[in-house]
Coordinates of all heavy atoms in Angstrom, one line a residue:
M565 N 195.6 187.3 86.2 CA 196.3 188.6 85.9 C 195.8 189.0 84.5 O 195.8 188.3 83.5 CB 197.8 188.2 85.8 CG 198.6 189.4 85.4 SD 200.4 189.0 85.3 CE 201.1 190.6 85.2
E566 N 195.5 190.3 84.4 CA 195.1 190.9 83.2 C 196.2 191.5 82.5 O 196.6 192.6 82.8 CB 193.9 191.9 83.3 CG 192.7 191.2 83.8 CD 191.5 192.2 83.8 OE1 191.2 192.7 82.7 OE2 190.9 192.4 84.8
L567 N 196.8 190.7 81.6 CA 198.1 191.2 80.9 C 197.9 192.6 80.3 O 198.9 193.3 80.3 CB 198.5 190.2 79.8 CG 199.0 188.8 80.4 CD1 199.5 188.0 79.2 CD2 200.2 189.0 81.3
E568 N 196.8 192.8 79.7 CA 196.7 194.1 78.9 C 196.7 195.3 79.8 O 197.0 196.4 79.3 CB 195.4 194.0 78.1 CG 195.6 193.0 76.9 CD 194.4 193.1 75.9 OE1 193.3 193.2 76.4 OE2 194.7 193.0 74.7
K569 N 196.4 195.1 81.1 CA 196.5 196.2 82.0 C 198.0 196.5 82.4 O 198.4 197.6 82.9 CB 195.7 196.0 83.3 CG 194.2 196.2 82.9 CD 193.3 196.1 84.2 CE 191.9 196.3 83.8 NZ 191.0 195.8 84.9
S570 N 198.8 195.4 82.4 CA 200.2 195.5 82.9 C 201.2 195.7 81.8 O 202.3 196.1 82.1 CB 200.5 194.3 83.6 OG 199.6 194.0 84.7
Y571 N 200.9 195.4 80.6 CA 201.9 195.4 79.5 C 201.3 196.1 78.3 O 200.1 196.1 78.1 CB 202.3 194.0 79.1 CG 202.8 193.2 80.2 CD1 202.0 192.4 81.0 CD2 204.2 193.2 80.4 CE1 202.6 191.6 82.0 CE2 204.8 192.4 81.4 CZ 203.9 191.7 82.2 OH 204.5 190.9 83.2
D572 N 202.2 196.7 77.5 CA 201.7 197.3 76.2 C 201.7 196.2 75.2 O 202.8 195.8 74.6 CB 202.7 198.4 75.8 CG 202.3 199.0 74.4 OD1 201.2 198.7 73.9 OD2 203.1 199.7 73.9
L573 N 200.6 195.6 74.9 CA 200.5 194.5 73.9 C 200.0 195.0 72.6 O 199.8 194.3 71.6 CB 199.5 193.5 74.5 CG 199.9 192.9 75.8 CD1 198.9 191.8 76.3 CD2 201.3 192.3 75.7
S574 N 199.9 196.4 72.5 CA 199.5 196.9 71.2 C 200.7 196.7 70.2 O 200.5 196.9 69.0 CB 199.2 198.4 71.3 OG 200.3 199.1 71.6
I575 N 201.9 196.4 70.7 CA 203.0 196.1 69.7 C 202.9 194.8 69.0 O 203.6 194.5 68.1 CB 204.4 196.2 70.4 CG1 204.5 195.1 71.4 CG2 204.6 197.6 71.1 CD1 206.0 194.9 71.8
L576 N 201.9 194.0 69.5 CA 201.7 192.7 68.7 C 201.0 193.0 67.4 O 199.8 193.4 67.4 CB 200.9 191.7 69.6 CG 201.6 191.2 70.8 CD1 200.6 190.4 71.7 CD2 202.8 190.3 70.4
V577 N 201.6 192.6 66.4 CA 201.0 192.9 65.0 C 200.8 191.6 64.3 O 201.7 190.7 64.3 CB 202.0 193.8 64.2 CG1 201.5 194.0 62.8 CG2 202.2 195.1 64.9
N578 N 199.6 191.5 63.7 CA 199.3 190.3 63.0 C 199.6 190.4 61.5 O 198.8 191.0 60.8 CB 197.8 190.0 63.2 CG 197.3 188.8 62.6 OD1 198.0 188.1 61.8 ND2 196.1 188.4 62.9
D579 N 200.7 189.9 61.1 CA 201.1 190.0 59.7 C 200.1 189.3 58.8 O 199.9 189.7 57.7 CB 202.5 189.4 59.5 CG 203.6 190.3 60.0 OD1 203.4 191.6 60.0 OD2 204.6 189.8 60.5
S580 N 199.6 188.2 59.2 CA 198.7 187.4 58.3 C 197.5 188.2 57.9 O 197.1 188.3 56.8 CB 198.3 186.1 59.0 OG 197.7 186.3 60.2
K581 N 197.0 189.0 58.9 CA 195.9 189.8 58.6 C 196.2 190.9 57.6 O 195.5 191.1 56.6 CB 195.3 190.5 59.9 CG 194.1 191.3 59.6 CD 193.5 191.8 61.0 CE 192.4 192.7 60.8 NZ 191.9 193.3 62.0
R582 N 197.3 191.6 57.8 CA 197.8 192.6 56.9 C 198.0 192.0 55.5 O 197.5 192.6 54.5 CB 199.0 193.3 57.4 CG 199.5 194.4 56.5 CD 200.8 195.1 57.1 NE 201.9 194.1 57.4 CZ 202.7 193.7 56.4 NH1 202.5 194.1 55.2 NH2 203.6 192.8 56.7
L583 N 198.7 190.9 55.4 CA 199.0 190.3 54.1 C 197.7 189.8 53.4 O 197.6 190.0 52.2 CB 200.0 189.1 54.3 CG 201.4 189.5 54.8 CD1 202.2 188.3 55.2 CD2 202.1 190.3 53.7
V584 N 196.8 189.2 54.1 CA 195.5 188.8 53.5 C 194.7 189.9 53.0 O 194.2 189.9 51.8 CB 194.7 187.9 54.5 CG1 193.2 187.9 54.0 CG2 195.3 186.5 54.6
L585 N 194.7 191.0 53.8 CA 193.9 192.2 53.3 C 194.5 192.8 52.1 O 193.8 193.3 51.2 CB 193.7 193.2 54.5 CG 192.9 192.7 55.7 CD1 192.7 193.7 56.7 CD2 191.5 192.1 55.2
E586 N 195.9 192.9 52.1 CA 196.5 193.4 50.9 C 196.3 192.6 49.7 O 195.9 193.1 48.6 CB 198.1 193.5 51.1 CG 198.5 194.6 52.0 CD 200.0 194.6 52.4 OE1 200.7 193.7 51.8 OE2 200.4 195.4 53.2
E587 N 196.4 191.3 49.8 CA 196.2 190.4 48.7 C 194.8 190.5 48.2 O 194.5 190.6 47.0 CB 196.6 189.0 49.1 CG 196.3 187.9 48.0 CD 197.2 187.9 46.9 OE1 198.3 188.5 46.9 OE2 196.9 187.2 45.8
L588 N 193.8 190.4 49.1 CA 192.4 190.5 48.8 C 192.1 191.8 48.1 O 191.3 191.8 47.1 CB 191.6 190.3 50.0 CG 190.1 190.0 49.8 CD1 189.8 188.9 48.9 CD2 189.4 189.8 51.2
G589 N 192.7 192.9 48.6 CA 192.4 194.2 48.0 C 192.9 194.2 46.5 O 192.3 194.7 45.6
R590 N 194.1 193.6 46.3 CA 194.6 193.6 44.9 C 193.7 192.8 44.0 O 193.4 193.2 42.9 CB 196.0 192.9 44.9 CG 197.2 193.9 45.2 CD 198.5 193.2 44.9 NE 198.8 192.1 45.7 CZ 199.5 192.1 46.9 NH1 199.9 193.3 47.4 NH2 199.7 191.0 47.5
R591 N 193.2 191.7 44.5 CA 192.4 190.8 43.7 C 191.1 191.4 43.4 O 190.6 191.3 42.3 CB 192.2 189.5 44.5 CG 193.4 188.7 44.7 CD 194.0 188.1 43.4 NE 193.1 187.2 42.8 CZ 193.1 185.8 43.1 NH1 193.9 185.4 43.9 NH2 192.2 185.1 42.5
I592 N 190.5 192.2 44.3 CA 189.2 192.8 44.1 C 189.4 194.0 43.1 O 188.6 194.2 42.2 CB 188.6 193.3 45.4 CG1 188.1 192.1 46.2 CG2 187.5 194.3 45.1 CD1 187.7 192.5 47.7
E593 N 190.5 194.7 43.2 CA 190.8 195.8 42.3 C 191.1 195.3 40.9 O 190.5 195.8 39.9 CB 192.1 196.5 42.8 CG 191.9 197.8 43.6 CD 193.2 198.3 44.1 OE1 194.2 198.1 43.5 OE2 193.1 199.0 45.2
A594 N 191.9 194.3 40.8 CA 192.3 193.7 39.5 C 191.1 193.1 38.8 O 191.2 192.7 37.7 CB 193.4 192.7 39.7
S595 N 190.0 193.1 39.5 CA 188.9 192.3 39.0 C 187.9 193.1 38.3 O 188.1 193.6 37.3 CB 188.4 191.5 40.2 OG 187.5 192.3 40.9
A596 N 186.9 193.1 39.1 CA 185.7 192.7 38.6 C 186.1 191.3 38.2 O 185.4 190.6 37.4 CB 185.2 193.5 37.4
E597 N 187.3 190.8 38.7 CA 187.9 189.5 38.4 C 186.8 188.5 38.4 O 186.2 188.2 39.4 CB 188.9 189.1 39.4 CG 189.6 187.8 39.1 CD 190.7 187.5 40.1 OE1 191.4 188.4 40.5 OE2 190.9 186.3 40.4
E598 N 186.4 188.1 37.2 CA 185.3 187.1 37.0 C 184.3 187.1 38.2 O 184.3 186.1 38.9 CB 185.8 185.7 36.8 CG 187.1 185.7 36.0 CD 188.3 185.6 37.0 OE1 188.3 184.8 38.0 OE2 189.3 186.4 36.8
G599 N 183.7 188.2 38.5 CA 182.6 188.1 39.4 C 182.9 188.0 40.9 O 182.2 187.3 41.6
I600 N 184.0 188.5 41.4 CA 184.2 188.6 42.8 C 183.2 189.7 43.3 O 183.2 190.8 42.8 CB 185.6 189.1 43.2 CG1 186.6 188.0 42.8 CG2 185.7 189.3 44.7 CD1 188.0 188.4 43.2
C601 N 182.4 189.4 44.3 CA 181.5 190.4 44.8 C 182.2 191.2 45.9 O 182.9 190.6 46.7 CB 180.3 189.7 45.5 SG 179.1 190.9 46.3
D602 N 182.1 192.5 45.8 CA 182.9 193.4 46.7 C 181.9 194.0 47.8 O 182.3 195.1 48.3 CB 183.7 194.4 46.0 CG 182.8 195.4 45.3 OD1 181.6 195.2 45.2 OD2 183.4 196.4 44.8
C603 N 180.8 193.4 48.1 CA 180.0 193.9 49.1 C 180.6 193.6 50.5 O 181.4 192.7 50.6 CB 178.5 193.4 49.0 SG 178.3 191.7 49.7
Q604 N 180.1 194.3 51.5 CA 180.6 194.2 52.9 C 180.6 192.7 53.3 O 181.6 192.2 53.8 CB 179.8 195.0 53.8 CG 179.9 194.7 55.3 CD 181.1 195.4 55.9 OE1 181.7 196.4 55.3 NE2 181.6 194.9 57.0
D605 N 179.5 192.0 53.2 CA 179.4 190.6 53.6 C 180.4 189.7 53.0 O 181.0 188.9 53.6 CB 178.0 190.1 53.4 CG 176.9 190.8 54.3 OD1 177.3 191.4 55.2 OD2 175.7 190.6 54.0
C606 N 180.5 189.8 51.7 CA 181.4 188.9 50.9 C 182.9 189.2 51.2 O 183.7 188.3 51.4 CB 181.1 189.0 49.4 SG 179.5 188.2 49.0
V607 N 183.2 190.5 51.3 CA 184.6 190.8 51.6 C 185.0 190.3 53.0 O 186.1 189.7 53.2 CB 184.9 192.3 51.5 CG1 186.2 192.7 52.0 CG2 184.8 192.7 50.0
V608 N 184.2 190.6 54.0 CA 184.5 190.1 55.3 C 184.6 188.6 55.4 O 185.4 188.0 56.0 CB 183.4 190.6 56.3 CG1 183.5 189.9 57.7 CG2 183.5 192.1 56.5
D609 N 183.7 187.9 54.6 CA 183.7 186.5 54.6 C 184.9 185.9 53.9 O 185.5 185.0 54.4 CB 182.4 186.0 53.9 CG 181.9 184.7 54.4 OD1 182.0 184.5 55.6 OD2 181.4 183.9 53.6
M610 N 185.3 186.5 52.9 CA 186.6 186.1 52.2 C 187.8 186.2 53.1 O 188.6 185.4 53.2 CB 186.8 186.8 50.9 CG 185.8 186.4 49.8 SD 186.1 187.1 48.2 CE 185.4 188.8 48.4
A611 N 187.8 187.4 53.7 CA 189.0 187.7 54.6 C 189.0 186.7 55.8 O 190.0 186.1 56.2 CB 188.9 189.1 55.2
T612 N 187.8 186.4 56.3 CA 187.7 185.4 57.5 C 188.1 184.0 57.1 O 188.9 183.4 57.8 CB 186.2 185.4 58.0 OG1 185.8 186.7 58.3 CG2 186.1 184.5 59.2
L613 N 187.6 183.6 55.9 CA 188.0 182.2 55.4 C 189.5 182.1 55.2 O 190.1 181.1 55.6 CB 187.2 181.9 54.1 CG 185.7 181.6 54.2 CD1 185.1 181.6 52.9 CD2 185.6 180.2 54.9
A614 N 190.0 183.1 54.6 CA 191.5 183.1 54.3 C 192.3 183.1 55.6 O 193.2 182.3 55.7 CB 191.9 184.3 53.4
L615 N 191.9 183.9 56.5 CA 192.7 184.0 57.8 C 192.5 182.8 58.6 O 193.5 182.3 59.2 CB 192.2 185.3 58.6 CG 192.7 186.6 58.0 CD1 191.9 187.8 58.7 CD2 194.2 186.7 58.3
N616 N 191.4 182.2 58.6 CA 191.2 180.9 59.4 C 192.0 179.7 58.8 O 192.2 178.8 59.5 CB 189.7 180.6 59.6 CG 189.1 181.4 60.7 OD1 189.8 181.9 61.6 ND2 187.8 181.6 60.6
S617 N 192.3 179.8 57.6 CA 193.0 178.7 56.9 C 194.5 178.8 57.0 O 195.2 177.9 56.7 CB 192.5 178.5 55.5 OG 193.1 179.5 54.7
L618 N 194.9 180.0 57.5 CA 196.4 180.3 57.6 C 196.9 180.1 59.0 O 196.1 180.4 60.0 CB 196.7 181.7 57.2 CG 196.7 182.0 55.7 CD1 196.7 183.5 55.5 CD2 198.0 181.4 55.1
K619 N 198.1 179.7 59.1 CA 198.8 179.9 60.5 C 198.9 181.3 60.8 O 199.3 182.1 59.9 CB 200.2 179.2 60.4 CG 200.2 177.7 60.6 CD 201.6 177.2 60.7 CE 201.7 175.8 60.1 NZ 202.9 175.7 59.3
P620 N 198.6 181.7 62.0 CA 198.8 183.1 62.3 C 200.3 183.5 62.3 O 201.2 182.6 62.4 CB 198.3 183.3 63.8 CG 198.2 181.9 64.3 CD 198.1 181.0 63.1
R621 N 200.6 184.7 62.0 CA 202.0 185.2 61.9 C 202.1 186.5 62.6 O 201.9 187.6 62.0 CB 202.3 185.3 60.4 CG 203.7 185.7 60.1 CD 204.8 184.7 60.5 NE 204.8 183.5 59.7 CZ 205.7 183.3 58.7 NH1 206.5 184.2 58.3 NH2 205.6 182.1 58.0
Y622 N 202.3 186.5 63.9 CA 202.5 187.7 64.7 C 203.9 188.1 64.9 O 204.8 187.2 64.9 CB 201.9 187.5 66.1 CG 200.4 187.6 66.2 CD1 199.6 186.4 66.0 CD2 199.8 188.8 66.4 CE1 198.3 186.5 66.1 CE2 198.4 188.8 66.4 CZ 197.6 187.7 66.3 OH 196.3 187.7 66.3
H623 N 204.1 189.4 65.0 CA 205.5 189.8 65.5 C 205.3 191.0 66.4 O 204.2 191.6 66.4 CB 206.4 190.1 64.3 CG 206.1 191.4 63.6 ND1 205.2 191.5 62.5 CD2 206.5 192.7 63.9 CE1 205.1 192.8 62.2 NE2 205.9 193.5 62.9
A624 N 206.3 191.2 67.2 CA 206.3 192.4 68.0 C 206.9 193.6 67.2 O 207.9 193.5 66.6 CB 207.2 192.2 69.3
S625 N 206.1 194.7 67.1 CA 206.5 195.7 66.2 C 207.8 196.4 66.5 O 208.3 197.1 65.7 CB 205.3 196.7 66.0 OG 205.2 197.4 67.2
L626 N 208.3 196.2 67.7 CA 209.7 196.7 68.0 C 210.7 196.2 67.0 O 211.6 196.8 66.5 CB 210.1 196.3 69.4 CG 209.4 196.9 70.5 CD1 209.9 196.4 71.8 CD2 209.6 198.4 70.5
L627 N 210.5 194.9 66.6 CA 211.4 194.2 65.7 C 210.9 194.4 64.3 O 211.6 194.0 63.3 CB 211.5 192.7 66.0 CG 212.0 192.4 67.4 CD1 211.8 190.9 67.7 CD2 213.4 192.8 67.6
G628 N 209.8 195.0 64.2 CA 209.0 195.3 63.1 C 209.3 194.9 61.7 O 209.1 193.8 61.2
T629 N 209.9 195.9 61.0 CA 210.0 195.8 59.6 C 210.6 194.6 59.0 O 210.2 194.0 58.1 CB 210.8 197.1 59.1 OG1 210.7 198.0 60.1 CG2 210.2 197.6 57.8
F630 N 211.7 194.2 59.7 CA 212.4 193.0 59.2 C 211.5 191.8 59.0 O 211.4 191.2 58.0 CB 213.6 192.7 60.1 CG 214.3 191.4 59.7 CD1 215.1 191.3 58.6 CD2 214.0 190.2 60.5 CE1 215.7 190.1 58.3 CE2 214.6 189.0 60.1 CZ 215.5 189.0 59.0
Y631 N 210.8 191.5 60.1 CA 209.9 190.3 60.1 C 208.7 190.5 59.1 O 208.3 189.6 58.5 CB 209.4 190.0 61.5 CG 210.5 189.3 62.3 CD1 211.1 190.1 63.4 CD2 210.9 188.1 62.1 CE1 212.1 189.5 64.2 CE2 211.9 187.5 62.9 CZ 212.5 188.2 63.9 OH 213.5 187.7 64.6
A632 N 208.2 191.7 59.1 CA 207.1 192.0 58.2 C 207.5 191.7 56.8 O 206.8 191.1 56.0 CB 206.7 193.4 58.4
Q633 N 208.7 192.2 56.4 CA 209.2 192.0 55.1 C 209.4 190.5 54.8 O 209.1 190.0 53.7 CB 210.4 192.8 54.8 CG 210.1 194.2 54.6 CD 211.3 195.1 54.4 OE1 212.4 194.6 54.6 NE2 211.1 196.4 54.1
A634 N 210.0 189.8 55.8 CA 210.3 188.4 55.6 C 209.0 187.6 55.3 O 208.9 186.8 54.5 CB 211.0 187.8 56.8
A635 N 208.0 188.0 56.1 CA 206.7 187.3 56.0 C 206.0 187.6 54.6 O 205.3 186.8 54.1 CB 205.7 187.8 57.1
A636 N 206.4 188.7 54.0 CA 205.7 189.0 52.7 C 206.4 188.3 51.6 O 205.9 188.3 50.4 CB 205.8 190.5 52.5
E637 N 207.5 187.6 51.8 CA 208.2 186.9 50.8 C 208.1 185.4 51.0 O 207.7 184.9 52.1 CB 209.6 187.3 50.8 CG 209.8 188.7 50.4 CD 211.2 189.3 50.7 OE1 212.0 188.5 51.3 OE2 211.4 190.4 50.5
G638 N 208.4 184.6 50.0 CA 208.7 183.2 50.1 C 207.4 182.4 50.4 O 206.3 182.7 49.9
D639 N 207.6 181.4 51.2 CA 206.6 180.3 51.4 C 205.3 180.9 52.0 O 204.2 180.6 51.6 CB 207.1 179.3 52.4 CG 208.2 178.4 51.8 OD1 208.3 178.5 50.5 OD2 208.8 177.6 52.5
Y640 N 205.5 181.9 52.9 CA 204.3 182.4 53.6 C 203.4 183.2 52.6 O 202.2 183.1 52.6 CB 204.6 183.2 54.8 CG 203.4 183.4 55.7 CD1 202.9 182.3 56.4 CD2 202.8 184.6 55.8 CE1 201.8 182.4 57.2 CE2 201.7 184.7 56.6 CZ 201.2 183.7 57.3 OH 200.0 183.8 58.1
A641 N 204.1 184.0 51.8 CA 203.4 184.7 50.8 C 202.6 183.8 49.9 O 201.5 184.1 49.5 CB 204.4 185.6 50.0
E642 N 203.2 182.7 49.5 CA 202.6 181.7 48.7 C 201.3 181.1 49.4 O 200.3 180.9 48.8 CB 203.6 180.6 48.4 CG 203.1 179.5 47.4 CD 202.6 180.0 46.1 OE1 203.1 181.0 45.6 OE2 201.7 179.4 45.5
E643 N 201.5 180.8 50.7 CA 200.3 180.3 51.5 C 199.2 181.4 51.5 O 198.0 181.0 51.4 CB 200.8 180.0 52.9 CG 201.5 178.7 53.0 CD 202.1 178.5 54.4 OE1 201.4 178.8 55.4 OE2 203.3 178.0 54.5
V644 N 199.6 182.6 51.7 CA 198.6 183.7 51.7 C 197.8 183.7 50.4 O 196.6 183.8 50.3 CB 199.2 185.1 52.0 CG1 198.2 186.2 51.7 CG2 199.7 185.1 53.4
H645 N 198.6 183.6 49.3 CA 198.0 183.6 48.0 C 197.0 182.5 47.8 O 195.9 182.7 47.3 CB 199.2 183.5 46.9 CG 198.7 183.8 45.5 ND1 198.6 185.0 45.0 CD2 198.4 182.9 44.6 CE1 198.2 184.9 43.8 NE2 198.1 183.6 43.4
K646 N 197.4 181.3 48.2 CA 196.5 180.2 48.0 C 195.3 180.3 48.9 O 194.2 180.0 48.5 CB 197.2 178.9 48.5 CG 198.1 178.3 47.4 CD 198.7 177.0 47.8 CE 199.9 176.6 46.9 NZ 200.8 175.7 47.6
A647 N 195.5 180.8 50.1 CA 194.3 180.9 51.1 C 193.3 181.9 50.5 O 192.1 181.7 50.6 CB 194.8 181.4 52.4
V648 N 193.8 183.0 49.9 CA 192.9 184.0 49.3 C 192.2 183.5 48.1 O 191.0 183.6 47.9 CB 193.7 185.3 49.0 CG1 192.9 186.3 48.2 CG2 194.1 186.0 50.3
D649 N 193.0 182.7 47.3 CA 192.3 182.0 46.1 C 191.2 181.2 46.5 O 190.1 181.2 45.9 CB 193.4 181.1 45.4 CG 194.1 181.8 44.3 OD1 193.8 182.9 44.0 OD2 195.1 181.1 43.9
E650 N 191.4 180.4 47.5 CA 190.4 179.4 48.0 C 189.2 180.2 48.6 O 188.1 179.8 48.3 CB 191.1 178.5 49.0 CG 190.2 177.4 49.6 CD 189.8 176.4 48.6 OE1 190.3 176.4 47.4 OE2 188.9 175.5 48.9
A651 N 189.5 181.2 49.3 CA 188.4 182.0 50.0 C 187.5 182.6 48.9 O 186.3 182.6 49.0 CB 189.0 183.0 50.9
I652 N 188.2 183.2 47.8 CA 187.4 183.8 46.7 C 186.6 182.7 46.0 O 185.4 183.0 45.8 CB 188.4 184.4 45.7 CG1 189.0 185.7 46.3 CG2 187.7 184.8 44.4 CD1 190.2 186.3 45.5
R653 N 187.2 181.6 45.8 CA 186.4 180.5 45.1 C 185.2 180.1 45.9 O 184.1 180.0 45.4 CB 187.4 179.3 45.0 CG 186.9 178.3 44.0 CD 187.8 177.0 44.0 NE 187.9 176.4 45.3 CZ 186.9 175.7 45.8 NH1 185.7 175.5 45.2 NH2 187.0 175.1 47.0
K654 N 185.4 179.9 47.2 CA 184.2 179.5 48.1 C 183.1 180.5 48.1 O 182.0 180.2 48.0 CB 184.7 179.2 49.5 CG 185.4 177.9 49.7 CD 185.7 177.6 51.1 CE 186.4 176.3 51.3 NZ 187.2 176.3 52.6
V655 N 183.5 181.8 48.3 CA 182.5 182.8 48.4 C 181.8 183.1 47.1 O 180.6 183.3 47.1 CB 183.1 184.1 49.0 CG1 182.1 185.3 49.0 CG2 183.5 183.9 50.5
K656 N 182.6 182.9 46.0 CA 181.9 183.1 44.7 C 180.9 182.0 44.5 O 179.8 182.2 44.0 CB 183.0 182.9 43.6 CG 183.0 183.9 42.5 CD 183.9 183.5 41.4 CE 185.2 184.3 41.4 NZ 186.1 183.9 40.4
A657 N 181.2 180.8 44.9 CA 180.3 179.6 44.7 C 179.1 179.7 45.7 O 178.0 179.2 45.4 CB 181.0 178.3 45.0
N658 N 179.3 180.4 46.8 CA 178.2 180.5 47.8 C 178.3 181.9 48.5 O 178.7 182.0 49.6 CB 178.5 179.3 48.8 CG 177.3 179.1 49.7 OD1 176.3 179.7 49.5 ND2 177.5 178.3 50.7
P659 N 177.8 182.9 47.8 CA 178.0 184.3 48.3 C 177.3 184.5 49.7 O 176.3 183.8 49.9 CB 177.3 185.1 47.2 CG 177.2 184.3 46.0 CD 177.1 182.9 46.5
S660 N 177.9 185.4 50.4 CA 177.4 185.6 51.8 C 176.2 186.6 51.9 O 175.5 186.6 52.8 CB 178.5 186.2 52.7 OG 179.6 185.3 52.6
H661 N 176.1 187.4 50.8 CA 175.0 188.4 50.9 C 173.7 187.8 50.7 O 173.6 186.7 50.1 CB 175.3 189.5 49.8 CG 175.5 188.9 48.5 ND1 176.7 189.1 47.8 CD2 174.7 188.1 47.7 CE1 176.6 188.5 46.6 NE2 175.4 187.9 46.5
A662 N 172.7 188.4 51.3 CA 171.3 187.9 51.2 C 170.8 188.0 49.8 O 171.2 188.8 49.0 CB 170.4 188.7 52.2
Ligands
LIG916 ZN1 178.3 190.0 48.1

């Protein structure tokens, strides 16, 4: 059964992705932060590393805002912060661009 043909799954929203991209965006803006490279390759690589190290956090957007806000606070926000730190550190040490 192909679920996507039978159900509207576009309501599935990945909070971890949104949160990582927001955090990474802040860090790149706030920077020239000791040499974060903001080229396409490095940014995609940092986002990928951070996202793969986090537990996914999906919600159905019908219930939307409440869960999205909850995810932005507390323990999960701290995990996102650490994941982005670590991703920045790794890519800085070993940049993805040629
Ligand atoms: Zn780069």
Side-chain angles (χ1 to χ4, degrees):
M565 179 180 193
E566 293 190 55
L567 288 185
E568 289 186 319
K569 288 186 178 162
S570 305
Y571 300 90
D572 176 13
L573 300 180
S574 69
I575 66 164
L576 290 174
V577 177
N578 184 349
D579 285 327
S580 54
K581 184 172 172 187
R582 183 177 56 78
L583 293 168
V584 160
L585 295 182
E586 284 173 5
E587 173 74 15
L588 190 54
R590 277 194 295 271
R591 296 290 297 271
I592 289 169
E593 264 172 26
S595 78
E597 183 178 323
E598 329 91 46
I600 298 180
C601 179
D602 65 353
C603 81
Q604 166 80 20
D605 290 347
C606 290
V607 168
V608 168
D609 211 35
M610 288 186 282
T612 304
L613 282 169
L615 283 166
N616 279 336
S617 73
L618 281 165
K619 280 186 209 139
R621 182 67 71 99
Y622 282 91
H623 75 269
S625 65
L626 290 177
L627 304 170
T629 336
F630 172 75
Y631 287 107
Q633 282 173 355
E637 294 165 0
D639 290 350
Y640 197 70
E642 183 59 31
E643 285 172 39
V644 168
H645 189 81
K646 280 185 195 152
V648 169
D649 269 351
E650 182 65 9
I652 288 172
R653 194 186 60 71
K654 281 185 181 158
V655 171
K656 224 191 262 180
N658 191 9
S660 306
H661 50 243

